[in-house]
Amino acid sequence: MDDRHFMRQALKLAGMGVGNTSPNPMVGALVVDASGAVVGRGYHERAGSDHAEVVALREAGDRARGATLYLTLEPCVHQGQTPPCAPVIAKAGIKRVVCAMEDPDPRVRGRGLAYLREHGMEVVTGMEADRAQHLNRMYIHHRTTGRPYVTLKMAQSLDGAVAVRPGERRQLSGPRAMRFVRSLRYEHDAVMVGSGTVRTDDPRLTVRPYRRRAVSYRRIVVDARCAVDLRAQVFKDQKRAQTIVATTEQMPAEVASALTSRSVQVLSCRATPQGRVDLVDLLTKLGSMNILSVLCEGGPTLAAAMLEAGLVCTIHLIVAPLFIPDADAVRVLAPGPVDIGLAWDKVARLGEDLVITGRPHAVSEGSLDTPARDSE
């Protein structure tokens, strides 16, 4: 029995749930009989739907008896929106379970695997664990910190500029890089920008062309005083993608009322001594709303603040093949007091642009992250 081969198949199945399973993890399952034939396949499609192992065992039917079950994540033992999975596995007559990793959720952690062993099954763990952890890095981070996993996307010229002068919009990235960014938006539960980006670029922050998500996609504007025009694009089309304005008590009541009338959610956060939105408080609140992942698209002030606070888990830096040597050019990061070290994981070409993927050397205490892997 080639455990690695079958586990990789299960991981591919799990990946079919990308963008749709939050706040649940992506999970794949494969049932393989004693002859080595795959008799059942399943993946978790969305929260509230059947779990991967239940789907795979249903397809396998009686052929599951005496078979091996490959699971990318430990089966649950608690009642959620669906019944627990570990008893279903035992009832199906599975002889052996190969599981990539434990579930970090405290309601499950280790208990599902213990249940299987107690019911006479051979249990093997750790197979392709690195791949499984990377696949569910956002879920793992949320369950271990209580906050969303933050991916920071930045685009710049070769000399580190984003625009010739403040307040001026400049499109740096080419078509392939833009498609990459829109795929990132789909994969994350929310996209976040600062008020400066809204004022300068007036972005819609949607996935185009439109792709329906089982999980509601959200747009977050960080704005301590609501300095943006209420006619901005990000406040439109709330049925397709809801907007959250992360603000402080400094927001005027009439502005909050006007936003609420547009179906925009106003999320009041603590203010820093400088009068800005406290980003740790914001991410903690977003985590309590079951937002597992946030794609931060800047601009320079918000990006620098997220990095200085140690809240960024992954960075995608898109570099366009041009220089902007103007003395007044806006730099990709606002000046700050903290030196930020980075570990680069991957460099790829997207048309005329380069995308460099990496991680800060240190994220805030309690975080868990797994390096990105090159595809094979």
Side-chain angles (χ1 to χ4, degrees), residues 40-45 50-60:
R41 298 175 178 84
Y43 74 96
H44 186 46
E45 293 186 8
D50 287 335
H51 289 189
E53 46 269 64
V54 172
V55 176
L57 290 169
R58 183 187 302 129
E59 181 180 306

Side-chain angles (χ1 to χ4, degrees), residues 18-147:
V18 66
N20 289 308
T21 62
S22 185
N24 292 348
M26 291 177 278
V27 184
L30 207 68
V31 182
V32 181
D33 69 15
S35 71
V38 176
V39 295
R41 298 175 178 84
Y43 74 96
H44 186 46
E45 293 186 8
R46 57 181 174 79
S49 70
D50 287 335
H51 289 189
E53 46 269 64
V54 172
V55 176
L57 290 169
R58 183 187 302 129
E59 181 180 306
D62 291 339
R63 293 172 295 178
R65 192 159 300 278
T68 297
L69 174 64
Y70 292 86
L71 275 177
T72 60
L73 187 71
E74 177 180 13
C76 61
V77 287
H78 67 284
Q79 176 72 44
Q81 293 187 59
T82 58
C85 296
V88 176
I89 296 170
K91 186 177 180 180
I94 289 290
K95 180 179 180 181
R96 180 172 177 262
V97 176
V98 180
C99 183
M101 60 173 287
E102 278 192 357
D103 190 331
D105 190 311
R107 296 171 298 177
V108 183
R109 191 166 49 215
R111 295 174 58 207
L113 298 176
Y115 182 97
L116 300 180
R117 291 188 176 102
E118 290 166 3
H119 285 76
M121 278 165 271
E122 177 190 351
V123 177
V124 178
T125 59
M127 179 60 60
E128 294 291 319
D130 287 350
R131 290 173 181 264
Q133 289 168 8
H134 180 66
L135 177 72
N136 273 313
R137 62 197 180 281
M138 299 170 183
Y139 169 79
I140 296 168
H141 184 85
H142 179 267
R143 289 299 191 272
T144 54
T145 69
R147 298 190 298 268

Side-chain angles (χ1 to χ4, degrees), residues 95-259:
K95 180 179 180 181
R96 180 172 177 262
V97 176
V98 180
C99 183
M101 60 173 287
E102 278 192 357
D103 190 331
D105 190 311
R107 296 171 298 177
V108 183
R109 191 166 49 215
R111 295 174 58 207
L113 298 176
Y115 182 97
L116 300 180
R117 291 188 176 102
E118 290 166 3
H119 285 76
M121 278 165 271
E122 177 190 351
V123 177
V124 178
T125 59
M127 179 60 60
E128 294 291 319
D130 287 350
R131 290 173 181 264
Q133 289 168 8
H134 180 66
L135 177 72
N136 273 313
R137 62 197 180 281
M138 299 170 183
Y139 169 79
I140 296 168
H141 184 85
H142 179 267
R143 289 299 191 272
T144 54
T145 69
R147 298 190 298 268
Y149 184 103
V150 175
T151 301
L152 175 62
K153 187 280 298 181
M154 299 183 292
Q156 65 166 59
S157 64
L158 288 166
D159 52 346
V162 298
V164 175
R165 57 188 57 85
E168 181 176 287
R169 182 179 182 183
R170 178 68 181 267
Q171 179 64 50
L172 297 175
S173 305
R176 285 189 60 186
M178 291 304 298
R179 287 196 296 271
F180 169 70
V181 171
R182 287 167 183 164
S183 71
L184 288 176
R185 289 180 184 176
Y186 181 79
E187 293 169 9
H188 289 72
D189 289 345
V191 60
M192 177 188 290
V193 297
S195 57
T197 296
V198 175
R199 289 195 301 271
T200 302
D201 296 343
D202 194 18
R204 284 182 283 174
L205 299 179
T206 53
V207 178
R208 298 186 299 277
Y210 175 67
R211 295 170 63 190
R212 185 182 179 278
R213 280 174 46 111
V215 182
S216 178
Y217 174 75
R218 291 182 250 199
R219 303 172 287 185
I220 302 167
V221 178
V222 182
D223 189 347
R225 301 173 181 84
C226 199
V228 298
D229 190 331
L230 298 187
R231 295 169 297 180
Q233 295 286 341
V234 74
F235 298 131
K236 298 176 181 178
D237 205 5
Q238 295 300 303
K239 290 184 179 180
R240 178 173 292 187
Q242 186 188 22
T243 299
I244 300 170
V245 174
T247 188
T248 66
E249 292 181 350
Q250 301 170 80
M251 174 183 280
E254 61 271 21
V255 176
S257 178
L259 288 170

